[in-house]
Amino acid sequence: MAATGSSLAGVMTRINGRHAFVYERILLLVVRETELRDSVTFAKQDLAKRMGVCVRSVDRAVTKLRREGLVTTEPVFGPSGVQLGNVYRATPEGIELARTFRRDKPRAKK
């Protein structure tokens, strides 16, 4: 069963000492939900709003992830035939890449 509009809690905003790119954050979300629930369903507009970015940024990120073979997508349609969003699943390559991301260690205060 796919999760709809999964929380971004726990999805890193900083990776390997720098600000995370939108595609990296989306990959982390999809990988987490693939491992927990087999997939995640979201509308790009909703995800963009929750991430604080524009829809075009989410669209570019998803296109990049699909092109690189890191995620797969499948459209979800409502009873009237209108597309409601997509189901996203991480591929084994996407899961492997996400595991290379390291969370920043908190800086010690002086």
Side-chain angles (χ1 to χ4, degrees):
M1 183 78 167
T4 303
S6 290
S7 169
L8 292 173
V11 173
M12 294 184 270
T13 58
R14 295 193 57 81
I15 295 174
N16 303 340
R18 59 169 171 73
H19 184 73
F21 293 108
V22 173
Y23 79 90
E24 291 170 324
R25 295 189 68 211
I26 293 173
L27 177 60
L28 288 168
L29 170 66
V30 174
V31 165
R32 180 187 72 196
E33 296 303 316
T34 297
E35 292 178 332
L36 292 174
R37 297 175 182 86
D38 185 50
S39 65
V40 62
T41 302
F42 58 79
K44 292 176 187 174
Q45 186 172 6
D46 174 57
L47 184 61
K49 183 177 180 182
R50 291 187 295 128
M51 290 182 77
V53 299
C54 69
V55 175
R56 187 163 173 92
S57 293
V58 171
D59 189 50
R60 285 181 182 152
V62 169
T63 298
K64 176 182 176 60
L65 293 169
R66 287 179 56 209
R67 189 178 324 125
E68 293 180 2
L70 303 174
V71 301
T72 61
T73 62
E74 188 179 320
V76 176
F77 297 97
S80 66
V82 67
Q83 185 173 349
L84 302 174
N86 288 303
V87 174
Y88 297 87
R89 286 185 183 85
T91 64
E93 295 82 8
I95 293 169
E96 185 177 328
L97 177 60
R99 289 187 177 142
T100 68
F101 297 161
R102 293 187 319 268
R103 183 177 302 273
D104 280 355
K105 294 179 182 173
R107 296 179 191 194
K109 293 185 179 183
K110 295 181 179 185

